[in-house]
Amino acid sequence: MKKQLHNIRIIILEQNGKPGGLASSERDNNGFLWDMGGHVVFSHYEYFDATLDRVVKDWNTKQRAAYAYMKGSDDVRRFIPYPVQNNIEWMDKLHQKHSLSGLEKVAANPLSKNLCNFDQWLLSNFGTGLCDLFMRKYNKKIWTLDPTEMNAVWVGERVAVPNLDKIKFKIKSFDKGDRKEKSNWGPNNIFRFPKYNGTGNIWQSVTNRLPREWYRFHHKVVGIDLGSKSLKVKIGENKRYIRDYKYDILISTAPLDLLLQMIDEHKGSKVDYYKGLTSQLAFTHTHIVGIGLTGQPPSTLSEKSWIYFPDSDSPFYRVTVFSSYSEHHVPNPGSQWSLMCEAAEPNYYTSPKYWTKDNLIDATITALNRYGFIDPDMIVSKYHRRLEHGYPIPSLNREIILQQVQPWLESQGVFSRGRFGGWRYEVSNQDHSFMQGVEVVDRIFRGVPEETYNNANIVNSKRNTGRFIRETLLDYQIVVAHYNEDLDWLIPVANRSHVYHKGTELRPPALQLYAWDKLPNVGHESHTYLHHIINNYNSLPNITLFVQGEGLSDASHCFSTLGEMLSKTYNNISCKISRGIKSGGWGRIRHSGKWREEKLRGEMRPAKFSLGRFFKELFEFQHPLEIPVCLKGCIGATKDMIRKHPIEFYKKAISFIDDHKNPEEGHYFERFWAVMFSEYHVLVSDSRSRS
């Protein structure tokens, strides 16, 4: 059952002093900016993209250039374009032969589809050669578990499956001298990145668009009582103060294992049993080591985005040329650059001495120097951050645990979502995590089923448009009532134009419109405008321009340019007034031209009321002696002008014209837009004295 969205209070408790969590950014003491890992922005969702378009204005768009750096059988290290399995022609001949042989055996004798673990999945798709040379080594390094200890449910689009015929063709071409590097497989082959302040800028900007009173920073939840539905929260940077918070519904993004540890036992809850289950969930600790450098990257790195390292002679599994994402990541662009390195520490059986800050920084610098990437004399900044929860590992028993714990939590009014709240790596990127939040709220309050959390393979295999945002925070938006008119005049402002089509076209025109919707052909442009107001009442931009499909230049009663219309909107009302309705003109409209002919032929449905009576029915007060008129249905209004009437007013208004394609009341509305949106009392000449 859908819940009513009345009297709802939202409180967001964040233990840190800023938003973002694992997707935050920070500058070190020397002015170098660092992310908490190699995040890039690509998306499966229009909703996510639309949100980012709004909140972050400045982006850098990058072509991904990813590589693996591997030692060959001849002890020579080579850059292999990513993914390795699609680019084995770059290996030395012995490794190339070993990899190709394994692929051929798999093609000739495919393994059973009933795969018990990730290692079997790797073998069934890549053969023993690639698994020995790269797959097992790299996956063990990043996950810290042997692939035999991981399930294969999570893989989906995450791993490219090679095409044997294409690989053989590439090997022949390579031997003939055609050595084009192609490292652009996958959903993030083109990615964008904030020009300023790193990935954290995204989530700070999202936060800035939401009500500030929702947020409680430096608030760490340390206890949950499911019986009383209350939280125990430590407050302040030093967490010295404790406060209790009551809740009706709790949405948690805390790691699932930590969430269960916070829950107090209460009668019949079996909390200890579920705590025992979540304690079996596997994860890694991630160490971020940032190296700020003088000069510019060597030629071996200058055109690369990030690099994977499967061999054991370096602590890191990935290095990102972070300064290539934005020049603002370094304090002195042009004379400085930076490398961001990631290392995975196992959750079990760790060597405390090896994983200390100083040792990891030293080991990182040693490896980078050995590879010829840097000279220690170039280093001007060293950064380290340890993330307690880095990667949620898709272990063998993960699904068994989640299928028991999550339903129980939801039965208690607790919804655990996000990278570690949901503990499903396959839907834990920024776009996935964001949409998990959107979808769980839709489920709770609107009864709309979630899509992302339980359907990774489906959402990752397509472009998801079902929750595309129709609300807008644009400074202005153009609403167009369209039938069959040429819309080329919209080209300069297409991305700000919401076109409502009432003709016979099934698809939008080839313009990059903000939105295109089909409406029934009723009520002229008045129905279109009222429909838009009703459906966007709570998310109107600062200014809305309502225009017919013929545009401004062909509308003699409208402004000649959008700029002129915009400039006048804040001055009470924007419409071109050549005449108005005066005393004595409140009877029936005397139509002329084609309108008169349509009325005579019975094609126009006559209005039930005279103009004066309709005014009173709509506005519920007697009409004044004189009002301005905006003919041709071309008008602009601010959101405050529109919202001076409640939404019920517009629902009543549309009820007069939604039953016929040519109702006479549509002509009445052309005469009332100015009154509807302007401060009409200024125009009233003692209307109360009229009977």
mmCIF file of all heavy atoms in Angstrom, residues 453-469:
data_model
loop_
_atom_site.group_PDB
_atom_site.id
_atom_site.type_symbol
_atom_site.label_atom_id
_atom_site.label_comp_id
_atom_site.label_asym_id
_atom_site.label_seq_id
_atom_site.Cartn_x
_atom_site.Cartn_y
_atom_site.Cartn_z
ATOM 1 N N TYR A 453 18.967 -3.799 -6.920
ATOM 2 C CA TYR A 453 19.620 -4.626 -5.909
ATOM 3 C C TYR A 453 19.508 -6.118 -6.194
ATOM 4 O O TYR A 453 20.468 -6.866 -6.010
ATOM 5 C CB TYR A 453 19.055 -4.304 -4.517
ATOM 6 C CG TYR A 453 19.761 -5.077 -3.417
ATOM 7 C CD1 TYR A 453 21.125 -4.939 -3.232
ATOM 8 C CD2 TYR A 453 19.066 -5.950 -2.592
ATOM 9 C CE1 TYR A 453 21.784 -5.649 -2.244
ATOM 10 C CE2 TYR A 453 19.712 -6.669 -1.598
ATOM 11 C CZ TYR A 453 21.081 -6.508 -1.434
ATOM 12 O OH TYR A 453 21.740 -7.225 -0.463
ATOM 13 N N ASN A 454 18.364 -6.560 -6.662
ATOM 14 C CA ASN A 454 18.151 -7.996 -6.862
ATOM 15 C C ASN A 454 18.235 -8.436 -8.320
ATOM 16 O O ASN A 454 18.007 -9.611 -8.618
ATOM 17 C CB ASN A 454 16.776 -8.407 -6.300
ATOM 18 C CG ASN A 454 16.714 -8.244 -4.798
ATOM 19 O OD1 ASN A 454 17.551 -8.756 -4.071
ATOM 20 N ND2 ASN A 454 15.714 -7.502 -4.325
ATOM 21 N N ASN A 455 18.557 -7.507 -9.226
ATOM 22 C CA ASN A 455 18.540 -7.847 -10.656
ATOM 23 C C ASN A 455 19.764 -7.286 -11.359
ATOM 24 O O ASN A 455 19.657 -6.576 -12.358
ATOM 25 C CB ASN A 455 17.263 -7.306 -11.314
ATOM 26 C CG ASN A 455 16.009 -7.878 -10.703
ATOM 27 O OD1 ASN A 455 15.672 -9.033 -10.932
ATOM 28 N ND2 ASN A 455 15.322 -7.079 -9.909
ATOM 29 N N ALA A 456 20.940 -7.630 -10.858
ATOM 30 C CA ALA A 456 22.181 -7.059 -11.397
ATOM 31 C C ALA A 456 22.336 -7.322 -12.888
ATOM 32 O O ALA A 456 22.672 -6.411 -13.657
ATOM 33 C CB ALA A 456 23.377 -7.608 -10.629
ATOM 34 N N ASN A 457 22.114 -8.544 -13.319
ATOM 35 C CA ASN A 457 22.330 -8.879 -14.722
ATOM 36 C C ASN A 457 21.396 -8.105 -15.641
ATOM 37 O O ASN A 457 21.756 -7.762 -16.768
ATOM 38 C CB ASN A 457 22.162 -10.381 -14.947
ATOM 39 C CG ASN A 457 23.299 -11.185 -14.355
ATOM 40 O OD1 ASN A 457 24.404 -10.675 -14.179
ATOM 41 N ND2 ASN A 457 23.034 -12.441 -14.033
ATOM 42 N N ILE A 458 20.191 -7.822 -15.160
ATOM 43 C CA ILE A 458 19.221 -7.097 -15.989
ATOM 44 C C ILE A 458 19.605 -5.627 -16.100
ATOM 45 O O ILE A 458 19.707 -5.076 -17.192
ATOM 46 C CB ILE A 458 17.796 -7.243 -15.413
ATOM 47 C CG1 ILE A 458 17.347 -8.709 -15.510
ATOM 48 C CG2 ILE A 458 16.826 -6.329 -16.168
ATOM 49 C CD1 ILE A 458 15.999 -8.968 -14.886
ATOM 50 N N VAL A 459 19.845 -4.969 -14.967
ATOM 51 C CA VAL A 459 20.145 -3.531 -15.013
ATOM 52 C C VAL A 459 21.493 -3.261 -15.659
ATOM 53 O O VAL A 459 21.706 -2.200 -16.255
ATOM 54 C CB VAL A 459 20.084 -2.886 -13.611
ATOM 55 C CG1 VAL A 459 18.699 -3.004 -13.024
ATOM 56 C CG2 VAL A 459 21.128 -3.473 -12.668
ATOM 57 N N ASN A 460 22.431 -4.199 -15.563
ATOM 58 C CA ASN A 460 23.752 -3.996 -16.151
ATOM 59 C C ASN A 460 23.795 -4.299 -17.636
ATOM 60 O O ASN A 460 24.792 -4.014 -18.299
ATOM 61 C CB ASN A 460 24.794 -4.854 -15.432
ATOM 62 C CG ASN A 460 25.134 -4.315 -14.057
ATOM 63 O OD1 ASN A 460 24.984 -3.123 -13.804
ATOM 64 N ND2 ASN A 460 25.595 -5.179 -13.173
ATOM 65 N N SER A 461 22.730 -4.856 -18.163
ATOM 66 C CA SER A 461 22.725 -5.244 -19.574
ATOM 67 C C SER A 461 21.999 -4.245 -20.460
ATOM 68 O O SER A 461 21.865 -4.466 -21.661
ATOM 69 C CB SER A 461 22.061 -6.624 -19.735
ATOM 70 O OG SER A 461 20.683 -6.566 -19.390
ATOM 71 N N LYS A 462 21.527 -3.127 -19.880
ATOM 72 C CA LYS A 462 20.732 -2.198 -20.683
ATOM 73 C C LYS A 462 20.861 -0.790 -20.138
ATOM 74 O O LYS A 462 21.458 -0.550 -19.090
ATOM 75 C CB LYS A 462 19.264 -2.610 -20.665
ATOM 76 C CG LYS A 462 18.627 -2.526 -19.274
ATOM 77 C CD LYS A 462 17.133 -2.845 -19.291
ATOM 78 C CE LYS A 462 16.524 -2.675 -17.906
ATOM 79 N NZ LYS A 462 15.063 -2.877 -17.931
ATOM 80 N N ARG A 463 20.305 0.134 -20.882
ATOM 81 C CA ARG A 463 20.178 1.519 -20.453
ATOM 82 C C ARG A 463 18.851 1.648 -19.737
ATOM 83 O O ARG A 463 17.791 1.434 -20.319
ATOM 84 C CB ARG A 463 20.218 2.442 -21.667
ATOM 85 C CG ARG A 463 20.140 3.921 -21.341
ATOM 86 C CD ARG A 463 21.395 4.404 -20.696
ATOM 87 N NE ARG A 463 21.409 5.855 -20.586
ATOM 88 C CZ ARG A 463 22.197 6.511 -19.766
ATOM 89 N NH1 ARG A 463 23.057 5.848 -19.010
ATOM 90 N NH2 ARG A 463 22.179 7.822 -19.717
ATOM 91 N N ASN A 464 18.871 1.986 -18.454
ATOM 92 C CA ASN A 464 17.661 2.009 -17.631
ATOM 93 C C ASN A 464 17.039 3.404 -17.645
ATOM 94 O O ASN A 464 17.655 4.368 -17.198
ATOM 95 C CB ASN A 464 18.009 1.581 -16.200
ATOM 96 C CG ASN A 464 18.531 0.168 -16.147
ATOM 97 O OD1 ASN A 464 17.787 -0.795 -16.190
ATOM 98 N ND2 ASN A 464 19.854 0.033 -16.078
ATOM 99 N N THR A 465 15.815 3.485 -18.168
ATOM 100 C CA THR A 465 15.136 4.773 -18.333
ATOM 101 C C THR A 465 13.867 4.888 -17.509
ATOM 102 O O THR A 465 13.210 5.925 -17.548
ATOM 103 C CB THR A 465 14.777 4.992 -19.813
ATOM 104 O OG1 THR A 465 13.882 3.948 -20.237
ATOM 105 C CG2 THR A 465 16.015 4.959 -20.693
ATOM 106 N N GLY A 466 13.515 3.851 -16.775
ATOM 107 C CA GLY A 466 12.211 3.811 -16.119
ATOM 108 C C GLY A 466 11.987 4.880 -15.086
ATOM 109 O O GLY A 466 10.856 5.269 -14.835
ATOM 110 N N ARG A 467 13.055 5.359 -14.463
ATOM 111 C CA ARG A 467 12.885 6.393 -13.437
ATOM 112 C C ARG A 467 13.508 7.703 -13.874
ATOM 113 O O ARG A 467 13.984 8.468 -13.067
ATOM 114 C CB ARG A 467 13.514 5.936 -12.122
ATOM 115 C CG ARG A 467 12.676 4.917 -11.355
ATOM 116 C CD ARG A 467 13.379 4.497 -10.080
ATOM 117 N NE ARG A 467 12.521 3.743 -9.195
ATOM 118 C CZ ARG A 467 12.302 2.444 -9.274
ATOM 119 N NH1 ARG A 467 12.883 1.754 -10.232
ATOM 120 N NH2 ARG A 467 11.525 1.822 -8.417
ATOM 121 N N PHE A 468 13.492 7.950 -15.186
ATOM 122 C CA PHE A 468 14.103 9.180 -15.668
ATOM 123 C C PHE A 468 13.418 10.395 -15.060
ATOM 124 O O PHE A 468 12.209 10.479 -15.012
ATOM 125 C CB PHE A 468 14.019 9.263 -17.186
ATOM 126 C CG PHE A 468 14.660 10.500 -17.745
ATOM 127 C CD1 PHE A 468 16.004 10.745 -17.550
ATOM 128 C CD2 PHE A 468 13.907 11.420 -18.429
ATOM 129 C CE1 PHE A 468 16.581 11.887 -18.050
ATOM 130 C CE2 PHE A 468 14.489 12.569 -18.937
ATOM 131 C CZ PHE A 468 15.828 12.805 -18.751
ATOM 132 N N ILE A 469 14.213 11.331 -14.613
ATOM 133 C CA ILE A 469 13.695 12.494 -13.889
ATOM 134 C C ILE A 469 12.947 13.424 -14.830
ATOM 135 O O ILE A 469 13.486 13.890 -15.818
ATOM 136 C CB ILE A 469 14.843 13.271 -13.224
ATOM 137 C CG1 ILE A 469 15.593 12.364 -12.253
ATOM 138 C CG2 ILE A 469 14.337 14.504 -12.514
ATOM 139 C CD1 ILE A 469 16.812 12.998 -11.649
#
